[in-house]
Amino acid sequence: MEEELKCPVCGSLFREPIILPCSHNVCLPCARTIAVQTPDGEQHLPHAAGGLGGGAGGGGDHADKLSLYSETDSGYGSYTPSLKSPNGVRVLPMVPAPPGSSAAAARGAACSSLSSSSSSSITCPQCHRSASLDHRGLRGFQRNRLLEAIVQRYQQGRGAVQGASAAAAVAICQLCDRTPPEPAATLCEQCDVLYCAACQLKCHPSRGPFAKHRLVQPPPPPAPAEAASRSAARKYPTCPEHEMENYSMYCVSCRTPVCYLCLEEGRHCKHEVKPLGAMWKQHKMVWDQINHCTLKLRQSTGLMEYCLEVMKENDPSGFLQISDALIKRVQVSQEQWVKGALEPKVSAEFELTLDSEPLLQAIHQLDFIQMKCRAPVPPVPLLQLEKCCTRNNSVTLAWRTPPFTHSPVDGYILELDDGDGGQYREVYVGKETLCTIDGLHFNSTYNARVKAFNSSGVGPYSKTVVLQTSDVAWFTFDPNSGHRDIILSNDNQTATCSSYDDRVVLGTAAFSKGVHYWELHVDRYDNHPDPAFGVARASVVKDMMLGKDDKAWAMTEGGVCKGATVGVLLDLNKHTLTFFINGQQQGPTAFSHVDGVFMPALSLNRNVQVTLHTGLEVPTNLGRPKLSSN
């Protein structure tokens, strides 16, 4: 990047750089050496082809007609290009000051003479465009503070590399009670305190409120001269025409930052202006252009690094002084490398449009209720009785929000009692308006209600709906709960087995209350071994005969043969289990003190085939109960 920071006249790093009208930069001392005055009898050519750059095609002839002002010459002199700058620009050699005069006085006289002359001009050493000077002379050109800050930062960085070891030794712990203090090992970014290793463990542990603090390597302290120059470089720039005023706006017509006095009484009063910060952020989109060109501009490393340094600056006015020229330079460099194949992503001007149609539509749709500071609670939900139903021991409920309501609804709460007229409990909370509750008691009456809620609170309950579960249970064998050797058919009502060992299968219903009866018909039985019929817990062992563990209650013998019908009576009101064969009770009550949740169960092997019959009425005598369904 160093080449980007060198003056085209003297070849050294810029000193007090000023911006010429063509957007190129030159040192203020160098500008004094190339500024010229035109004699009264000659007209100044503002855009000479050759200028002072020694270009071909007659440029030298025109240059010879111009006189170059020196620090010791108060009039006109012949132009004698006896020296050349590193960039090929012809300059007048320095002439010693006359006896008795100081260099400062000579420089002051030079500036005064250039300021007072109306025919003074300066030619850019890079593009050879000439520009006339007004009554302010060279002071009329804006100073490139952004470039000056980058040069200073570059010099500081170069100096920091050379003296890093010496600077690092200066940083010492700020909390040490030792004499002398220990060197600092870490810096806390939040506390802004330097610690040595011992003080950091003692005063800044990595726990408690300090756990989120960030510890970094301590930076080397700047030298006093460097700190002074840094603070001077960060001084907020002022308007050159109104030295007491800071820049506040950006003139779009003139493409330059202005102060408020320029807008009130200056030449920018009728120009289009925009906020300085907005234009700064808008023009910073040149970063996208730089990213787009990085891979194609490997040989333009200096320009790219200079652009990156410019992007680090936080001076809006300084950035806007050079942003247009910088964007153009990047575009030209890109076109040279890709031969016009890629279009630039960023231009110096932006066309912004505002689509106000969605906003206007939203305004037209506003009403009084939506404009309230806080929405009311939701209204009472309406139960849709035509969609509410029961099936076996499950109930389905449906509801909806009343029409023409403007209160927002975030969700609903469905409550159900215990089937005996007890307290309500929440069974569903969510945004759906349809809910099915399974696992209820058979032959029971349930009361249900629903309410809505939003950010303002909970609305009132709906009317109560009464739902009656089935008197008798309809169920089949459960293919998900049976052993993998169990084979089901006939809509999961007929079971057999592929193994010679006993395997268990359960029913799809679970009972915890009421009286229930079902039958199992033995379709095939080869007398070895006996099938087992009964009830079991859901966690019963599935690879042994039913009743062999403590989670099943079953009957395994007593008149069972091919064609027999085994009935199972589970009375959870009396907590008993009774068996029937061909309609006759098989002995006394088989089991008592039966408490909990039970599922119909069966164990069999490949010699047995059984068909299940459910939905039967409970037997009231020792005779065969009547079948209500197959």
Side-chain angles (χ1 to χ4, degrees):
M1 185 181 62
E2 186 173 351
E3 294 300 322
E4 292 288 331
L5 307 181
K6 290 183 178 180
C7 174
V9 177
C10 63
S12 302
L13 296 178
F14 280 107
R15 297 170 297 161
E16 301 180 74
I18 60 174
I19 305 175
L20 301 179
C22 58
S23 300
H24 291 126
N25 302 282
V26 67
C27 293
L28 181 59
C30 296
R32 297 192 186 105
T33 66
I34 62 176
V36 297
Q37 289 181 327
T38 305
D40 295 336
E42 297 182 6
Q43 287 188 348
H44 172 64
L45 301 179
H47 299 289
L52 296 178
D61 296 339
H62 174 69
D64 291 337
K65 296 179 182 179
L66 302 180
S67 62
L68 187 63
Y69 189 85
S70 70
E71 293 190 2
T72 60
D73 186 13
S74 59
Y76 301 98
S78 61
Y79 176 69
T80 308
S82 58
L83 293 180
K84 282 191 177 183
S85 73
N87 207 32
V89 180
R90 295 179 293 179
V91 298
L92 189 71
M94 294 294 179
V95 180
S101 63
S102 63
R107 277 196 300 269
C111 292
S112 174
S113 178
L114 286 174
S115 300
S116 61
S117 175
S118 59
S119 59
S120 299
S121 64
I122 187 171
T123 302
C124 176
Q126 289 185 275
C127 65
H128 311 301
R129 293 182 181 179
S130 298
S132 300
L133 276 65
D134 58 12
H135 65 281
R136 294 173 297 176
L138 295 176
R139 299 295 181 183
F141 295 120
Q142 294 183 350
R143 187 169 171 178
N144 195 338
R145 291 182 175 84
L146 185 66
L147 178 57
E148 190 173 4
I150 294 176
V151 171
Q152 291 181 358
R153 187 165 62 246
Y154 175 78
Q155 291 175 326
Q156 293 168 4
R158 187 167 56 181
V161 172
Q162 298 173 353
S165 58
V170 179
I172 60 174
C173 178
Q174 295 176 305
L175 297 180
C176 261
D177 53 4
R178 302 175 180 86
T179 303
E182 293 290 330
T186 57
L187 168 67
C188 177
E189 291 186 341
Q190 285 70 30
C191 302
D192 197 20
V193 175
L194 293 167
Y195 299 93
C196 66
C199 291
Q200 188 265 321
L201 294 176
K202 177 181 177 182
C203 305
H204 197 287
S206 58
R207 60 182 182 275
F210 299 106
K212 296 183 179 180
H213 287 201
R214 184 182 178 189
L215 300 177
V216 297
Q217 291 292 330
E226 293 178 346
S229 63
R230 189 179 308 171
S231 61
R234 293 298 176 183
K235 183 179 179 181
Y236 201 81
T238 58
C239 178
E241 296 184 7
H242 308 92
E243 296 183 356
M244 300 301 295
E245 301 296 333
N246 294 333
Y247 288 123
S248 59
M249 300 294 288
Y250 180 78
C251 179
V252 180
S253 304
C254 301
R255 299 178 182 271
T256 182
V258 294
C259 69
Y260 82 96
L261 289 179
C262 295
L263 302 179
E264 291 185 353
E265 55 190 42
R267 58 189 178 91
H268 304 280
C269 59
K270 295 183 179 181
H271 292 178
E272 179 186 0
V273 295
K274 291 186 177 181
L276 190 66
M279 291 300 295
W280 174 44
K281 292 181 180 179
Q282 189 179 29
H283 279 239
K284 267 200 170 183
M285 289 180 63
V286 70
W287 174 259
D288 295 336
Q289 186 73 45
I290 295 173
N291 273 339
H292 183 63
C293 299
T294 299
L295 295 179
K296 298 292 183 180
L297 302 178
R298 294 243 181 226
Q299 297 182 9
S300 298
T301 306
L303 174 60
M304 293 299 102
E305 292 183 358
Y306 174 66
C307 292
L308 293 174
E309 286 296 320
V310 170
M311 297 303 298
K312 295 178 183 178
E313 286 299 319
N314 295 323
D315 181 3
S317 60
F319 181 86
L320 291 172
Q321 283 180 332
I322 67 169
S323 61
D324 292 333
L326 187 60
I327 292 174
K328 291 178 182 178
R329 287 193 62 191
V330 173
Q331 290 176 342
V332 171
S333 180
Q334 179 188 9
E335 292 172 359
Q336 291 176 348
W337 281 99
V338 302
K339 297 181 180 179
L342 299 176
E343 292 295 331
K345 293 183 177 180
V346 179
S347 62
E349 297 184 6
F350 301 85
E351 294 184 2
L352 302 178
T353 58
L354 175 64
D355 185 9
S356 60
E357 186 63 27
L359 178 61
L360 294 176
Q361 184 177 0
I363 293 175
H364 289 310
Q365 293 177 350
L366 290 176
D367 56 35
F368 180 77
I369 297 178
Q370 289 176 328
M371 294 172 64
K372 285 185 176 180
C373 295
R374 184 175 180 180
V377 296
V380 179
L382 299 179
L383 288 167
Q384 295 181 280
L385 300 179
E386 68 277 6
K387 296 183 180 180
C388 297
C389 61
T390 61
R391 185 178 184 277
N392 254 355
N393 62 335
S394 65
V395 297
T396 300
L397 297 106
W399 59 90
R400 63 181 177 90
T401 302
F404 309 109
T405 179
H406 298 282
S407 300
V409 177
D410 295 339
Y412 301 92
I413 301 174
L414 176 63
E415 296 182 354
L416 202 69
D417 67 358
D418 59 356
D420 284 334
Q423 293 184 347
Y424 284 90
R425 66 185 189 279
E426 293 182 1
V427 295
Y428 171 75
V429 177
K431 295 183 178 181
E432 300 296 332
T433 57
L434 182 70
C435 181
T436 298
I437 302 100
D438 298 317
L440 302 178
H441 299 301
F442 286 93
N443 194 21
S444 300
T445 301
Y446 288 90
N447 297 308
R449 62 187 184 184
V450 65
K451 59 183 177 181
F453 65 88
N454 60 16
S455 59
S456 298
V458 181
Y461 284 104
S462 67
K463 294 182 179 180
T464 302
V465 62
V466 180
L467 299 167
Q468 175 71 39
T469 56
S470 301
D471 295 339
V472 294
W474 301 82
F475 59 91
T476 62
F477 291 120
D478 186 4
N480 297 320
S481 67
H483 192 276
R484 62 178 179 272
D485 294 336
I486 296 293
I487 302 173
L488 301 179
S489 60
N490 188 25
D491 293 331
N492 295 332
Q493 293 180 348
T494 300
T496 185
C497 182
S498 61
S499 173
Y500 286 105
D501 297 322
D502 292 300
R503 301 291 187 243
V504 174
V505 62
L506 304 178
T508 56
F511 306 112
S512 60
K513 179 183 176 183
V515 182
H516 309 280
Y517 178 79
W518 63 94
E519 290 182 349
L520 300 108
H521 184 266
V522 181
D523 302 327
R524 177 169 56 85
Y525 181 41
D526 296 340
N527 298 324
H528 181 77
D530 294 330
F533 312 89
V535 296
R537 309 284 192 193
S539 58
V540 65
V541 179
K542 306 291 177 40
D543 56 358
M544 65 173 60
M545 180 177 286
L546 195 67
K548 295 294 185 178
D549 60 359
D550 59 351
K551 298 180 181 179
W553 295 258
M555 180 191 74
T556 58
E557 57 183 1
V560 176
C561 60
K562 180 180 179 181
T565 300
V566 178
V568 181
L569 177 61
L570 178 62
D571 189 344
L572 293 176
N573 295 335
K574 299 180 180 179
H575 307 286
T576 60
L577 179 64
T578 307
F579 296 97
F580 296 81
I581 297 179
N582 296 329
Q584 300 297 323
Q585 183 172 338
Q586 184 71 9
T589 299
F591 299 97
S592 57
H593 306 291
V594 180
D595 296 309
V597 180
F598 301 93
M599 304 176 72
L602 164 72
S603 68
L604 72 168
N605 64 3
R606 66 182 302 166
N607 296 318
V608 182
Q609 177 178 307
V610 175
T611 299
L612 177 65
H613 299 277
T614 62
L616 306 178
E617 296 179 0
V618 178
T620 55
N621 49 50
L622 298 181
R624 179 187 176 97
K626 178 181 179 182
L627 287 173
S628 61
S629 175
N630 289 330

